[in-house]
Amino acid sequence: MGGIDLNFYQRKRLNREMVLNKRCIEEQAEQYEFMGKVNQETRKFRHDFNKHMDMLADLYDHGHIDELGAYIHQLGTMKERAYYLSTGNMVCDAIVNRYYAKCRDEGIILRCSGTFHDDLSIEMSDLCVIMSNALENAYEASCQCDENREIQCKIGNEKSLIFITIINPVQIPPAIEDGFINSTKVDAQAHGFGTKIMQETAARNGGSVKWKYDAQTKKIVTKICLMGQKCK
């Protein structure tokens, strides 16, 4: 009986790892696709740079100020499309930039600061599932809001620890108990699901995930702590 139970849990763990690895590969594939689009926009802009400068000069020389302003605004839009966020980690770059593009399309501002160390010991599949779930929840919650549509993602390192803080608005106050979002209808509307697997993954990497709601700003703060480097 014990052998049967062991095989069951081994298969369950293997299946879980396969799912996480598949998601990690999908994130990287989307990153390559995103970078291809960014490079295409950048090459196009560089190729037409002199033409843009000639057009700006011509509009100015002929006193077409309104047209000049509109053209400059258009160039700014092209620059925005080629914008790229860097976290110092390829997998997280894929996740952050994918949600940056999704947020931009929905009129949501996504700000990201800080970078990861380049010698992380945490499995990329684990980091992938934590970051993707955290930003997915923040994105979905922000989409439901009519104001203060801004997500902040802060990455910090202290010795062997990684600290990730994500702040986003919510339309409906989530149900939080002892730092954990309860699995309720309110939670489903505010932050989706995946919070439990985030905590399990963080705990497996010597860390934790906790949530806190600020009633004054109507924002939720997700604090993630991970053991990201081997102790030296």
Side-chain angles (χ1 to χ4, degrees):
M1 186 70 179
I4 296 176
D5 290 341
L6 181 61
N7 289 333
F8 170 78
Y9 286 111
Q10 285 178 337
R11 289 196 302 270
K12 186 176 180 180
R13 179 180 178 183
L14 179 61
N15 182 65
R16 179 179 179 278
E17 289 179 351
M18 290 176 62
V19 171
L20 294 182
N21 288 331
K22 180 176 180 292
R23 182 164 187 176
C24 188
I25 292 172
E26 289 173 348
E27 294 285 357
Q28 291 185 49
E30 291 184 2
Q31 165 69 353
Y32 296 142
E33 181 181 0
F34 175 84
M35 284 303 301
K37 293 178 180 179
V38 170
N39 290 334
Q40 185 177 10
E41 291 285 347
T42 301
R43 288 196 301 270
K44 181 180 178 182
F45 184 84
R46 288 176 177 173
H47 179 266
D48 295 336
F49 180 79
N50 290 332
K51 294 180 182 178
H52 293 314
M53 293 301 101
D54 290 340
M55 177 62 72
L56 291 173
D58 184 68
L59 291 172
Y60 177 79
D61 290 340
H62 289 83
H64 300 311
I65 304 303
D66 291 341
E67 291 84 350
L68 176 63
Y71 198 87
I72 292 174
H73 179 73
Q74 181 183 353
L75 294 179
T77 302
M78 292 175 62
K79 177 183 177 182
E80 176 71 13
R81 290 288 173 181
Y83 189 69
Y84 177 77
L85 293 171
S86 177
T87 67
N89 179 274
M90 185 178 66
V91 172
C92 288
D93 282 353
I95 299 167
V96 170
N97 282 286
R98 179 160 66 91
Y99 280 100
Y100 176 83
K102 293 179 69 172
C103 285
R104 180 189 60 209
D105 293 341
E106 292 293 333
I108 300 170
I109 299 173
L110 172 58
R111 304 186 189 278
C112 185
S113 61
T115 58
F116 292 98
H117 286 304
D118 56 5
D119 56 345
L120 297 179
S121 61
I122 182 174
E123 292 289 338
M124 288 300 98
S125 58
D126 286 348
L127 188 58
C128 172
V129 74
I130 289 174
M131 285 294 292
S132 59
N133 274 292
L135 285 176
E136 180 180 8
N137 291 339
Y139 167 75
E140 291 179 351
S142 299
C143 283
Q144 298 174 17
C145 297
D146 298 324
E147 56 184 16
N148 300 323
R149 291 157 64 88
E150 178 178 323
I151 301 172
Q152 297 180 50
C153 178
K154 303 176 182 178
I155 302 168
N157 305 276
E158 184 176 341
K159 295 182 179 180
S160 61
L161 297 177
I162 301 171
F163 296 97
I164 304 168
T165 302
I166 297 177
I167 305 172
N168 63 271
V170 288
Q171 184 68 23
I172 303 174
I176 299 178
E177 184 177 354
D178 296 328
F180 181 70
I181 299 182
N182 292 324
S183 179
T184 64
K185 184 177 180 180
V186 173
D187 175 34
Q189 292 178 346
H191 258 250
F193 54 90
T195 54
K196 184 176 181 180
I197 195 171
M198 287 174 63
Q199 283 200 320
E200 292 176 350
T201 305
R204 190 169 60 252
N205 288 277
S208 63
V209 183
K210 291 189 176 182
W211 292 265
K212 181 180 179 181
Y213 176 67
D214 188 330
Q216 185 175 359
T217 61
K218 296 182 180 180
K219 292 183 177 181
I220 190 165
V221 180
T222 304
K223 291 193 173 183
I224 304 166
C225 176
L226 302 168
M227 182 69 72
Q229 288 182 301
K230 298 178 179 179
C231 297
K232 298 179 179 180

